Amino acid sequence: MPGRIDGQDIAIWRGASGQVHAWGDRCPHRGMRLSHGFVRGETLACIYHGWQYDADGGCDHIPAHPNLVPPKTICATTYSCAESDDVIWVALRPTDEKCPSLAGLRGVRSLTIDAAAEQVASHFGQAVNAILRLGTADNITLALQPMDADHCTAHALSDARADRTDVSRWLEHQRRVIEGQPA
Amino acid sequence: MTPEVANHWYPVGMCSGIHGAQATQLLGQSITLGKTGGQFWVRDAGGKALPVIERFGHLWTSPGQPNRDLFTIPEAETPGRRLVDCGSVRVKCSPLRAVENFLDIAHFPFVHTDILGAEPHTEVERYDVDIREEVDEVWATKVKFFQPQAAKSAEGGITTEYMYRVPAPTCAVLYKTCPPRPGEWDVITLFVQPLTEELCEVWPWMALYDDDTPMADLVSFQQMIFMQDRSILENQIPRKLPLDPGMEVPTQADLTSIAYRRWLKRTGYTYGAQVVAA
């Protein structure tokens, strides 16, 4: 699936083993978005010409030349990617930091908002951060994905006992307020 | 607009679809075109009359001073062919990306699955490519590919032989094995009208030996193929075609595309191209 972080287009995919990957959303061959591609086992193949990339991002098969071993130089751009407490985390630059802990919470939904991450954080009276704990009764917590200057996605979690529909409606209401639409 | 770009003929409409006056764009400029008293005309934004040619069922014009006639396709003039106007498809991509995709066969098994190609028949054998200096055209010959359903008239899989010709920067002609008539070539063309550098109107046109398939089926077959191509063309990054090596990695199957890019760069045709690697 496609994603966007700080203006960078990302292809996020899960191999058959369950491992998640985040790559630059562009096949080095003809620039096609890899997020349109298809997963086979632990590989992602581009939908345009079927060029196949292994878990490390290296091209290991070019269908037009099935007997050719692709040069090592052909590779997708890879980013650090980890899955933790229902959330997939991506780092555009190498980092030793651990993903923030969201233990005890359960994912509710992901909501794209037509506003910068800073604006969403300030709406909740907080400085921008990877996670915003909103201090509600249900412990609603947002993992914030800054997409670009005008968009972000809030990945919302809450206590496992919370009613997902209620949380979801509350989030949509907040979104309308943030976007300046009639609530 | 440089003369290298302006001095070409461009398709701006299907003759059968032009009645009164209508507005469109060419190379980022507004133009109007129409038919009055049986005569086609095209005017630029300032009202100046632009030259017109009626050929291959389409109306052609130029904002510059073309130093040669619009190309011809003698093969399409042999008797007994059906000339098929396919209408147009608007695509959010560089006109050059649209042409390059038309010159590519390696995508058939993945984009036109079970129609123009299918796994495991993905291999592209070596073919010949040359830039023919005397006519200033790019040609690819001896292109062969296994196809499950090469044309509306094809039954079952066959190895199809192709020739590709690029007679103008935004036009390409495909000569293809003709199932009902071995020894003859079906002609399928792609005429691209550059609206802007990142938006184009694509006019496919065909001259086929096929007396049986209803016209509507021929058109919808071609439209379906092109809709599949559009899902690719609108998702390539960058939208413009990179002419400098480094940004994209070609392989042997891309010899036609390599020659096309080289030819564009050499002739200074940069409209819709990304010249400096980003």
Side-chain angles (χ1 to χ4, degrees):
Chain A
M1 61 179 283
R4 188 163 241 257
I5 304 171
D6 287 338
Q8 293 285 321
D9 289 315
I10 312 280
I12 298 153
W13 64 280
R14 189 187 290 281
S17 69
Q19 179 74 38
V20 289
H21 305 269
W23 292 358
D25 197 7
R26 186 174 182 279
C27 177
H29 175 219
R30 286 293 176 250
M32 180 62 195
R33 287 185 185 276
L34 285 172
S35 55
H36 290 239
F38 52 95
V39 176
R40 279 183 184 161
E42 299 304 319
T43 66
L44 177 65
C46 176
I47 191 64
Y48 197 2
H49 299 93
W51 286 29
Q52 182 175 291
Y53 300 87
D54 64 22
D56 297 325
C59 180
D60 67 3
H61 183 59
I62 296 177
H65 306 298
N67 302 317
L68 173 92
V69 177
K72 290 254 180 289
T73 48
I74 305 179
C75 50
T77 305
T78 59
Y79 299 112
S80 305
C81 182
E83 192 172 6
S84 163
D85 302 319
D86 249 2
V87 176
I88 293 168
W89 296 89
V90 177
L92 295 184
R93 279 164 292 282
T95 174
D96 296 329
E97 257 181 86
K98 284 215 159 51
C99 313
S101 170
L102 297 163
L105 300 175
R106 179 183 69 171
V108 177
R109 67 178 290 191
S110 297
L111 216 72
T112 296
I113 303 172
D114 291 342
E118 289 78 8
Q119 198 186 332
V120 173
S122 82
H123 167 77
F124 292 109
Q126 302 194 24
V128 72
N129 207 327
I131 57 172
L132 304 178
R133 295 185 189 273
L134 304 187
T136 61
D138 292 331
N139 280 320
I140 297 175
T141 302
L142 305 180
L144 269 192
Q145 174 190 344
M147 296 168 75
D148 53 40
D150 307 305
H151 304 88
C152 68
T153 298
H155 305 279
L157 302 91
S158 71
D159 281 345
R161 61 180 166 72
D163 184 301
R164 287 182 162 186
T165 311
D166 289 348
V167 173
S168 184
R169 286 206 181 118
W170 184 82
L171 287 166
E172 283 176 16
H173 172 78
Q174 298 301 322
R175 172 166 68 181
R176 283 193 293 273
V177 174
I178 293 167
E179 291 180 350
Q181 299 174 25
Chain B
M1 196 190 306
T2 63
E4 290 81 359
V5 172
N7 294 347
H8 284 280
W9 293 101
Y10 293 97
V12 290
M14 207 163 67
C15 293
S16 61
I18 301 169
H19 305 291
Q22 58 198 64
T24 182
Q25 262 187 306
L26 181 61
L27 302 164
Q29 313 282 322
S30 296
I31 58 168
T32 50
L33 54 93
K35 192 177 182 182
T36 308
Q39 293 292 314
F40 289 106
W41 53 264
V42 179
R43 291 186 202 287
D44 70 9
K48 190 182 92 174
L50 298 180
V52 292
I53 291 180
E54 223 184 300
R55 195 171 293 172
F56 318 123
H58 288 75
L59 182 65
W60 301 74
T61 191
S62 174
Q65 293 162 331
N67 50 19
R68 61 178 182 172
D69 186 22
L70 173 62
F71 61 89
T72 59
I73 310 175
E75 299 84 352
E77 290 163 14
T78 52
R81 285 176 188 265
R82 282 170 78 192
L83 307 181
V84 186
D85 291 338
C86 297
S88 73
V89 182
R90 182 167 290 206
V91 190
K92 285 188 219 114
C93 74
S94 154
L96 309 179
R97 287 242 192 233
V99 170
E100 185 176 90
N101 174 72
F102 186 77
L103 303 174
D104 176 70
I105 55 172
H107 73 281
F108 290 171
F110 302 98
V111 180
H112 310 297
T113 312
D114 295 335
I115 306 167
L116 301 184
E119 291 183 277
H121 308 283
T122 56
E123 183 161 12
V124 177
E125 289 173 39
R126 191 163 190 106
Y127 52 86
D128 294 341
V129 176
D130 58 323
I131 297 174
R132 298 188 180 171
E133 308 287 350
E134 68 284 8
V135 285
D136 198 21
E137 296 183 353
V138 180
W139 278 79
T141 54
K142 299 180 191 160
V143 185
K144 295 187 189 72
F145 207 65
F146 177 85
Q147 303 200 308
Q149 191 196 350
K152 199 70 201 171
S153 61
E155 280 178 34
I158 48 169
T159 295
T160 308
E161 190 173 340
Y162 284 90
M163 293 192 294
Y164 285 101
R165 171 188 174 204
V166 185
T170 71
C171 296
V173 183
L174 159 64
Y175 303 89
K176 182 175 182 178
T177 315
C178 168
R181 289 221 195 177
E184 299 275 6
W185 299 93
D186 273 340
V187 173
I188 302 178
T189 69
L190 198 75
F191 304 142
V192 182
Q193 173 185 356
L195 299 167
T196 70
E197 289 198 88
E198 299 187 6
L199 183 67
C200 54
E201 199 77 50
V202 176
W203 305 91
W205 179 78
M206 305 192 283
L208 310 177
Y209 286 113
D210 179 342
D211 296 328
D212 305 323
T213 311
M215 189 63 97
D217 292 1
L218 291 173
V219 172
S220 64
F221 182 79
Q222 199 55 32
Q223 289 264 354
M224 172 189 67
I225 296 294
F226 209 78
M227 285 300 163
Q228 294 172 336
D229 286 318
R230 186 165 76 168
S231 69
I232 299 294
L233 290 169
E234 297 195 338
N235 287 290
Q236 283 175 279
I237 305 169
R239 281 234 167 100
K240 290 185 191 173
L241 184 75
L243 292 192
D244 288 317
M247 184 80 188
E248 296 186 350
V249 186
T251 183
Q252 187 190 291
D254 301 312
L255 286 176
T256 318
S257 131
I258 295 167
Y260 175 56
R261 292 184 186 199
R262 189 176 297 152
W263 178 69
L264 288 174
K265 193 170 180 190
R266 207 171 68 187
T267 55
Y269 196 95
T270 53
Y271 195 82
Q274 179 173 294
V275 180
V276 180

